[in-house]
Amino acid sequence: MKFDVLTLFPEMFELLNQSIIGKAIEKDLIDIKLINIRDFSKDKHKKVDDTPYGGGAGMIMKPDVVYDAYQSVKDENAKVIYMSPQGKPLNQKKVEELSKENHLIILCGHYEGIDQRVLDKIVDEEISIGDYVLTGGEIPAMVLIDSVSRYVKGVLKEDSIKEESFSNGLLEYPQYTRPEVFEGMKVPEVLLSGHHENIEKWRKEKSLEMTKKKRPDILK
């Protein structure tokens, strides 16, 4: 799985070299390439933005700079995603869908946004991680890469993603480990029984219970 990220702040993505995603990179299961949009500025000061036509606060990223950055990694088979609060909400179904792609090009906006003309020309889909506004698209891009990478074959054991939250339309059941007693609270007896059928039944019941309690909207 290949990710090309168009960004003004490639140094922010250092976090992805850690933990599970870092190991997936080391094993060549995923490839993350960071393209600094500023490198494509023709301005001697590497300026990438300008004031908006029609007036208004803030600055807008220039279309030619973004387009040239895109051209450097252009692939007719790649899906181009713009991380934007105006996009469709990211959910588990979309994560699994994107994990089947071979190449994603992710565009990160900044300032007051990006000139609409280049978005119309290159973007296939806009995706949002929530109904709020951040200072840029870098953190949303990392969320997308992390969530999608988990579903790339070999990154996790298959059982790890089969029963987690949202994978079957419910939240995950509660998990416990040693010690058996913590601050007077015991691990549920059924999990100590070794009776796999009863354990499976308990987990399904608890999964439904947790969903009703925490996210009843999922059940509608």
Side-chain angles (χ1 to χ4, degrees):
M1 179 72 166
K2 183 179 180 181
F3 299 94
D4 282 325
V5 186
L6 309 180
T7 172
L8 291 175
F9 299 97
E11 59 275 10
M12 290 181 67
F13 291 83
E14 176 60 30
L15 290 172
L16 294 177
N17 291 320
Q18 312 301 317
S19 189
I20 292 170
I21 304 303
K23 291 177 181 177
I25 294 171
E26 289 177 4
K27 295 177 181 177
D28 292 324
L29 297 173
I30 61 173
D31 176 31
I32 303 173
K33 183 181 178 183
L34 304 173
I35 297 89
N36 191 335
I37 297 172
R38 202 175 297 279
D39 290 342
F40 296 86
S41 173
K42 300 174 181 66
D43 182 88
K44 67 178 182 180
H45 301 297
K46 294 298 181 182
K47 187 177 180 182
V48 296
D49 58 354
D50 211 329
T51 55
Y53 280 119
M59 303 289 277
I60 307 298
M61 288 174 65
K62 300 170 69 174
D64 54 339
V65 181
V66 173
Y67 186 68
D68 288 347
Y70 161 74
Q71 286 286 93
S72 73
V73 293
K74 182 180 177 181
D75 177 356
E76 296 298 335
N77 297 315
K79 191 178 188 72
V80 181
I81 295 173
Y82 175 43
M83 305 308 299
S84 162
Q86 296 183 13
K88 293 181 179 178
L90 182 65
N91 56 29
Q92 198 69 15
K93 182 179 179 182
K94 175 57 66 174
V95 165
E96 293 182 37
E97 177 188 314
L98 292 176
S99 71
K100 295 177 174 62
E101 299 283 342
N102 292 318
H103 185 190
L104 295 179
I105 298 174
I106 305 173
L107 174 59
C108 303
H110 222 79
Y111 310 122
E112 286 298 310
I114 299 176
D115 188 297
Q116 186 64 42
R117 291 169 294 180
V118 72
L119 298 179
D120 292 340
K121 187 169 181 65
I122 71 172
V123 171
D124 296 311
E125 186 172 2
E126 293 189 24
I127 291 180
S128 167
I129 63 166
D131 293 339
Y132 47 85
V133 179
L134 298 174
T135 54
E138 284 75 19
I139 292 175
M142 283 187 270
V143 169
L144 183 72
I145 293 170
D146 187 287
S147 59
V148 169
S149 294
R150 297 176 74 257
Y151 279 81
V152 173
K153 187 175 181 181
V155 174
L156 293 176
K157 293 180 180 178
E158 192 173 339
D159 289 345
S160 296
I161 57 177
K162 198 176 288 184
E163 296 184 346
E164 62 186 4
S165 292
F166 307 110
S167 59
N168 60 359
L170 299 172
L171 300 185
E172 190 176 10
Y173 48 79
Q175 299 276 20
Y176 301 87
T177 188
R178 295 181 178 82
E180 187 177 323
V181 180
F182 168 71
E183 294 289 314
M185 297 177 284
K186 294 188 64 177
V187 173
E189 289 293 336
V190 65
L191 299 179
L192 306 174
S193 68
H195 195 301
H196 297 297
E197 187 176 331
N198 286 349
I199 291 172
E200 183 65 22
K201 181 181 177 183
W202 179 88
R203 284 176 169 170
K204 287 180 178 178
E205 290 174 350
K206 286 296 178 183
S207 186
L208 181 59
E209 182 182 310
M210 296 287 278
T211 306
K212 285 181 177 178
K213 180 181 179 180
K214 296 182 176 181
R215 291 292 304 277
D217 56 295
I218 296 176
L219 301 173
K220 293 179 182 179

